[in-house]
Amino acid sequence: MISSLSPQPLIKPNTGTTLSPIPHVQNQRFKLASHVCPSELLSIRKRPGSACAATTQHRRYLLFPAEEEEEEREVKFTSDAPALAEELQRESMPRHVAVIMDGNRRWAHLRGLPVGSGYEAGVKSLKTLVELCCKWGIRVLTVFAFSSDNWFRPEVEVEFLMSLLESGVKEEKESFIRERIRISVIGDTSKLPKRLEELVINVVETTKNNTRFQLIVAVSYSGQYDLVQACQRIAMKVKDGLIEPNDVSESLIEQELETNCTEFPYPDLLIRTSGELRISNFMLWQLAYTELFFSQSLWPDFGEAEFLEALKSFQQRRRHYGK
Ligand SMILES: CC(C)=CCC/C(C)=C/CC/C(C)=C/COP(=O)(O)OP(=O)(O)O
């Protein structure tokens, strides 16, 4: 056993020390991200709080205590015919729902868990939401998974979120294909680690003809980024003589926004969890007439009952788009 902030490496490979796939530190088992090979580890150091930092030749990873063994939960889907919850009316279901999945870290802090556990619990809520959208006939779900500003979070946290995205894509790719789910990604994917960027490009390409349901993942995204990149594309068209400045219109801007990857460009309903009353630079153009629902639940606690509450609220709104 070592003192909790011991600076010296705990485990060194090639020194006869056997590394188990889930290393023990201070009698606690730690999870190793599935893409990290134990034999690549150079050191594992205890960090303040309950996490450990693991170093390979190329990168540093944050390890979190392994909870009791959990079955990896595959997304469960139902048949094509939507089975609507009794309280909902089919004719006024939103086609496109967007979600700001807020409150993962607070959820973890409240339980004395490391932030990574909050994000992992958040992924489970996302899987539930995808299942419910498929079950209730919602056609598009956009989720804010990582904002342009999130790059400024602590490096280990950013790495953890990147590894969650990577394992999410790898683990669910088969079910996306099987269940005819189209995956789209909006945001500046060139900023992602190369391996993740390639995975993303691959899953987007592989699923692009799926029409049952579309999951749009906003990564390295902000509404301002989206508007700036649309303006740049339009400016290039003007410069190349393809259009005149007077041709710039709402529909032209729409075409150049990253959300032109969907038939349903505007979310009908935006849900933000955790009680915060902001849209935090998310889909600034696209939310012009979107109905907003703010849930007090932290994202990892957002499940069927909470989604039902949001949808029932949406169905009571009268939408007249300012007319
Ligand atoms: C595979 C895949 C799509 C993964 C997504 C994982 C996930 C739930 C990401 C949410 C990211 C995020 C920065 C949320 C904001 O809440 P916060 O964590 O900052 O919470 P806080 O407001 O309590 O600090």
Side-chain angles (χ1 to χ4, degrees), residues 42-55:
L42 294 175
S43 71
I44 298 182
R45 293 165 198 264
K46 189 81 181 72
R47 289 173 56 87
S50 45
C52 268
T55 317

Side-chain angles (χ1 to χ4, degrees), residues 7 11 19 33 49 56 78 95 106-107 131 137 177 204 252 254 258 280 301 323:
I11 307 172
L19 274 167
T56 67
T78 50
R95 293 165 307 170
R106 272 168 282 168
W107 183 92
E131 284 169 19
I177 296 169
V204 167
L252 188 80
E254 261 170 33
E258 301 232 330
S280 298
D301 292 327
K323 287 172 195 143

Side-chain angles (χ1 to χ4, degrees), residues 68-103:
E68 65 282 4
E69 281 311 319
E70 280 182 17
E71 285 289 301
E72 248 330 302
R73 205 168 68 75
E74 258 218 8
V75 177
K76 290 193 198 74
F77 294 96
T78 50
S79 71
D80 276 3
L84 212 52
E86 253 178 42
E87 300 100 302
L88 296 175
Q89 292 148 16
R90 190 174 302 279
E91 59 284 1
S92 50
M93 284 294 280
R95 293 165 307 170
H96 182 169
V97 174
V99 185
I100 301 178
M101 309 181 285
D102 199 14

